[in-house]
Amino acid sequence: MRKFHPALSGFSLPELLVAIALLAVLLTVGHGLSEAVRERLAVSGCIANLRQIGVGIQAYANDHHGYLPDNREDADGKETRWQSRLDDYVHPPFSQLAKVPKSPFVCPAAPRPLKGSLFYALNQELRIFGTNKQPLRQSEMKTPGAYVLLADASGQGWITTGRAEKMIEANGLTQRHKGKPNFLYGDGHAAPFTRPLLGYADTPDPFYQHLWFAR
């Protein structure tokens, strides 16, 4: 009868190397899948935020003779932000940002700690300075379904549309969601933007004119 030898029950060195290699592959694949899942969740959460803000904008416009919330500077140079105008229409409100773990005004993919430039960015047409520029009404949007109100950006707080280079550099439109920003449109729908980012001055294409300019 053959005797059992403890040394014969272990793994050989080649077998251990193969097992370690397989484990490394599985960990790599698992990490990649988890990143993809996190990104999908961030995109869906970001779009949900923009849709919620869109509902708030609609309610605000209904209560303000059709005018959209804007950034407006008064005679003393003090600027009221569009987020603050929506305090009674989006919950939790922007004024409670420091007290809530998640806010509809902040993209789920935004890096922490948060800074003022990491909120959703407003179309520059909705920045009102002085008395020579009139606020925008919903009825003035020629193509609401194609006109961008807000962008998932991390720049200076509004969408500069002069040139494509300026848009990307100043607005940080490609810094999150693998270079595909999410937009909220004038009709309230939100979606990732997959076309090239071009400013109005870069092309006469009507698509981009409707994208950035309401009137």
Side-chain angles (χ1 to χ4, degrees):
M1 183 176 180
R2 186 178 180 182
K3 293 184 178 180
F4 177 78
H5 197 290
L8 298 177
S9 65
F11 290 103
S12 66
L13 180 59
E15 288 174 331
L16 285 174
L17 291 176
V18 170
I20 292 171
L22 286 173
L23 181 61
V25 169
L26 290 174
L27 289 173
T28 302
V29 172
H31 179 70
L33 288 174
S34 64
E35 279 193 349
V37 170
R38 282 197 297 269
E39 175 57 22
R40 283 198 296 270
L41 290 174
V43 170
S44 61
C46 181
I47 290 176
N49 284 349
L50 288 171
R51 286 174 179 164
Q52 183 179 347
I53 294 172
V55 172
I57 288 175
Q58 176 66 52
Y60 176 95
N62 290 341
D63 290 344
H64 292 82
H65 309 288
Y67 287 108
L68 297 171
D70 50 41
N71 276 26
R72 189 176 308 173
E73 190 177 83
D74 59 23
D76 297 327
K78 182 179 179 180
E79 187 172 0
T80 302
R81 304 176 75 172
W82 64 271
Q83 298 100 322
S84 300
R85 298 185 188 280
L86 293 177
D87 255 11
D88 294 332
Y89 301 93
V90 177
H91 300 283
F94 186 72
S95 59
Q96 300 296 314
L97 184 67
K99 301 179 182 180
V100 295
K102 294 182 180 180
S103 169
F105 294 98
V106 180
C107 170
R112 267 56 174 178
L114 293 173
K115 296 181 181 180
S117 62
L118 293 177
F119 308 119
Y120 293 111
L122 188 71
N123 190 312
Q124 68 176 6
E125 278 200 316
L126 296 172
R127 296 186 75 225
I128 311 299
F129 292 97
T131 57
N132 60 338
K133 187 176 180 182
Q134 296 300 316
L136 181 66
R137 269 182 165 160
Q138 281 185 315
S139 59
E140 293 181 282
M141 291 187 287
K142 293 181 179 179
T143 53
Y147 176 63
V148 173
L149 293 177
L150 296 176
D152 174 38
S154 57
Q156 51 196 351
W158 59 88
I159 311 167
T160 301
T161 59
R163 299 189 313 275
E165 318 88 74
K166 184 69 173 178
M167 287 178 60
I168 294 173
E169 292 173 3
N171 304 321
L173 288 172
T174 59
Q175 291 185 12
R176 294 199 290 274
H177 302 306
K178 299 187 181 299
K180 297 177 181 178
N182 297 314
F183 289 162
L184 172 68
Y185 294 88
D187 65 351
H189 87 276
F193 188 73
T194 57
R195 296 181 63 162
L197 282 166
L198 297 177
Y200 179 78
D202 297 298
T203 175
D205 188 338
F207 173 84
Y208 291 97
Q209 296 177 24
H210 295 319
L211 192 71
W212 305 124
F213 292 90
R215 297 182 174 98

